[in-house]
Amino acid sequence: MKRSHLPKAIRLAIVGIFCLGMATSCGTKTTNAEILNSLNETAAPAEMPVIEAELTDAPLVPAPITRKHPAKVVVRLEVTEVVKKLADGVDYTFWTFGGSVPGKFIRVRQNDEVEFHLMNHPDSKNPHNIDLHAVTGPGGGAAATFTAPGQETVFNFKAINPGLYVYHCATAPVGMHIANGMYGLIMVEPEEGMEPVDKEYYVMQGDFYTKGAFGAPGLQPFDMEKALDEKPSYVVFNGSVGSMTGDNAITAKVGDKVRLFVGNGGPNLVSSFHVIGEIFDNVYVEGGSNVNKNVQTTLVPAGGSAITEFKVDVPGNYVLVDHSIFRTFNKGALGMLKVEGPDNLAIFSGQTEQKIYLPEGSVVQEMPKSNAPKAAIANNKDMRLELGKTLYAQNCQACHQAEGQGIKGAFPPLAKSDYLNADVDRSIGVVAHGLEGQIKVNGEVYNSTMPKLKLSDEEIANVMTYVLNSWSNKGGEVTPEQVKKAKDKYKH
């Protein structure tokens, strides 16, 4: 047993004997406390507790750290190469840290010693490693973790600097490994901890480069030429189109303080991160210690991060976007925060008045022509519903809203729509050809312009089937053959 582990009374007795001998031989007087302090200073330090890291998939994050002392934290992360959904009807072979894109969220405390295990699944076709931007040392751990399929590597580092950091694969070709989804976030909490909040979520943007255009069905391979030209087919949050909408939306209640850990895996694009209808009370710029207040949109560089905090004061759906806005509505970078609770009319009244306004004429707008990919072919109604749900999110949700409720005075509701249910073919014609002029929906008059949507007959059939079977509408299935006839019947 080491001296530092002896009971205090025994240690004092030893000290007394030692002092007596010293006083007799040297003629000096030393107190017990002085010698005990000397023994304590030279004794071996107590070993840090060993903790197995809690790792989570986006949008969840591990629990905040409440301990007031450093620990040895063991992180075990497995690399897998898996086929997963990139969009409805579209698959992609992702290279992942932990089976998901982004990789697992890691949470440690400043001055923790991290023992990092990287395992590469035997089924992988490629070697991989990991560069953690939180690491002080060559390659951020990349050289120490070069791991062949079926192997495991281990290294240790001390988490010196607090902040929110990206990690990614750094095996050549580095850009390709990152473009295939090999990135995630590690939070190093400051010693004093973080201010408690009600909700915390993990949001990470990435750009993907597929041979096919956006929406082209089937298993899509990586396109190096598009990646080199920095022209992604998809820009998404948390690894896929729709990963944070509908049933996957993140949630909060009125009065909650929300913290978003936002990362950008890139590999190429800078994100202009924004939450429509909210102002960030605090933004920890680039994941560091500097705080900006009352921020509308914050830049998140490729390979960088930001922490945003805001209080939700009124209920409703808040849309998370990359404010390079075509990425949101045409490439998939869209998420949803659903907030429930009582209205606060002093902060947001909703519409208080509606008047007729007649500008100098208007015409039906036509969406720009493009070489649209061939739509996925639905083999049954269930598949048509699934494909239609994605098309609705991409083309209709911004105006008609997530639950089809529309926007009073601007965009008519699709939920329980008497206009839709009375004549489905007429509604197909509106989707195909656009609409200008007054219509009456559920007792309200609307006089807005709907643009022509550049959708194929198959896509119109899918989205119309989805709408008909949602929000208490009458149901049924629309086929491409019905769409073709309806387009001819209601052609302007």
Side-chain angles (χ1 to χ4, degrees):
M1 182 180 292
K2 298 178 181 178
R3 286 183 296 181
S4 59
H5 294 170
L6 292 171
K8 186 175 181 181
I10 297 176
R11 295 174 68 196
L12 287 173
I14 295 172
V15 168
I17 295 170
F18 180 79
C19 288
L20 180 60
M22 289 292 292
T24 302
S25 60
C26 303
T28 60
K29 186 176 181 180
T30 306
T31 66
N32 286 358
E34 288 173 336
I35 296 180
L36 184 57
N37 286 337
S38 176
L39 289 172
N40 284 337
E41 290 171 2
T42 59
E47 292 184 3
M48 288 191 295
V50 179
I51 297 172
E52 196 78 20
E54 177 191 3
L55 306 177
T56 58
D57 291 324
L60 303 180
V61 298
I65 294 173
T66 57
R67 54 185 164 85
K68 303 301 181 184
H69 54 80
K72 181 176 182 179
V73 181
V74 181
V75 178
R76 305 179 194 275
L77 201 54
E78 183 187 41
V79 173
T80 57
E81 300 172 5
V82 294
V83 175
K84 295 171 71 74
K85 183 177 80 171
L86 180 57
D88 285 338
V90 183
D91 290 330
Y92 189 79
T93 302
F94 294 93
W95 300 352
T96 75
F97 289 112
S100 61
V101 177
K104 304 287 188 180
F105 194 101
I106 305 168
R107 197 167 195 165
V108 299
R109 181 182 181 272
Q110 186 181 9
N111 290 322
D112 280 350
E113 178 188 324
V114 180
E115 179 182 295
F116 200 97
H117 296 244
L118 187 69
M119 298 87 73
N120 193 354
H121 195 279
D123 290 344
S124 294
K125 295 180 173 59
N126 305 278
H128 298 285
N129 63 8
I130 191 166
D131 170 4
L132 300 111
H133 291 187
V135 169
T136 300
T145 56
F146 185 82
T147 312
Q151 299 295 309
E152 176 180 353
T153 56
V154 183
F155 83 109
N156 292 66
F157 70 93
K158 187 173 184 178
I160 298 173
N161 301 101
L164 180 64
Y165 299 96
V166 167
Y167 65 79
H168 60 86
C169 187
T171 301
V174 178
M176 182 178 180
H177 284 248
I178 297 174
N180 284 336
M182 297 197 77
Y183 46 75
L185 291 179
I186 175 170
M187 178 68 208
V188 181
E189 288 202 21
E191 288 182 318
E192 65 274 15
M194 303 182 73
E195 179 184 346
V197 296
D198 299 293
K199 296 283 188 176
E200 293 184 324
Y201 292 109
Y202 174 17
V203 182
M204 197 159 192
Q205 183 170 315
D207 29 293
F208 289 87
Y209 302 83
T210 60
K211 287 288 186 183
F214 183 91
L219 179 61
Q220 290 294 318
F222 170 73
D223 189 321
M224 180 62 84
E225 290 303 315
K226 285 185 179 179
L228 291 172
D229 291 339
E230 301 185 9
K231 294 181 178 179
S233 310
Y234 296 84
V235 184
V236 298
F237 294 137
N238 292 351
S240 66
V241 176
S243 67
M244 297 181 65
T245 61
D247 294 339
N248 299 321
I250 57 178
T251 61
K253 295 181 179 179
V254 168
D256 281 352
K257 187 171 184 179
V258 178
R259 176 180 290 138
L260 301 180
F261 296 101
V262 184
N264 183 8
N268 289 321
L269 303 185
V270 172
S271 174
S272 301
F273 185 73
H274 175 74
V275 176
I276 299 174
E278 266 300 342
I279 298 167
F280 302 137
D281 300 321
N282 300 309
V283 173
Y284 293 81
V285 183
E286 297 188 13
S289 301
N290 292 329
V291 181
N292 284 350
K293 293 185 176 293
N294 302 323
V295 176
Q296 57 188 317
T297 301
T298 189
L299 288 174
V300 186
S305 66
I307 303 172
T308 69
E309 297 173 345
F310 53 95
K311 180 184 176 185
V312 284
D313 295 298
V314 295
N317 293 328
Y318 296 82
V319 182
L320 285 63
V321 302
D322 180 340
H323 218 297
S324 298
I325 208 70
F326 277 101
R327 299 175 188 171
T328 291
F329 296 111
N330 298 84
K331 295 195 174 185
L334 184 147
M336 189 77 70
L337 168 64
K338 293 184 177 180
V339 178
E340 295 182 346
D343 290 325
N344 187 336
L345 300 182
I347 293 177
F348 183 76
S349 69
Q351 187 180 82
T352 59
E353 189 175 5
Q354 180 181 351
K355 298 179 179 179
I356 298 297
Y357 172 68
L358 298 176
E360 287 185 21
S362 61
V363 295
V364 173
Q365 301 291 314
E366 184 169 343
M367 299 298 286
K369 292 184 178 181
S370 62
N371 295 321
K374 185 177 179 181
I377 304 300
N379 297 320
N380 52 58
K381 181 180 176 181
D382 288 341
M383 186 177 178
R384 202 175 295 287
L385 287 169
E386 189 68 21
L387 294 171
K389 181 179 180 181
T390 297
L391 287 165
Y392 182 84
Q394 294 165 0
N395 296 278
C396 315
Q397 183 170 293
C399 297
H400 295 288
Q401 303 295 289
E403 303 301 325
Q405 70 268 34
I407 298 176
K408 186 175 176 62
F411 304 111
L414 300 180
K416 301 180 182 178
S417 171
D418 54 6
Y419 183 91
L420 167 67
N421 291 300
D423 189 342
V424 174
D425 285 350
R426 176 180 60 185
S427 296
I428 292 171
V430 170
V431 174
H433 303 302
L435 177 68
E436 181 188 1
Q438 285 191 358
I439 62 171
K440 192 172 186 179
V441 182
N442 296 350
E444 298 285 337
V445 175
Y446 293 84
N447 192 13
S448 56
T449 298
M450 177 170 170
K452 298 178 182 179
L453 297 178
K454 288 296 181 181
L455 299 178
S456 68
D457 291 356
E458 179 76 24
E459 288 170 324
I460 294 174
N462 294 342
V463 74
M464 287 297 302
T465 299
Y466 172 71
V467 171
L468 276 176
N469 287 273
S470 303
W471 318 308
S472 301
N473 287 318
K474 70 178 186 179
E477 180 179 2
V478 175
T479 64
E481 292 73 24
Q482 182 182 352
V483 170
K484 187 177 186 304
K485 292 178 182 178
K487 284 168 62 177
D488 293 339
K489 178 180 178 181
Y490 284 95
K491 190 172 185 178
H492 298 313

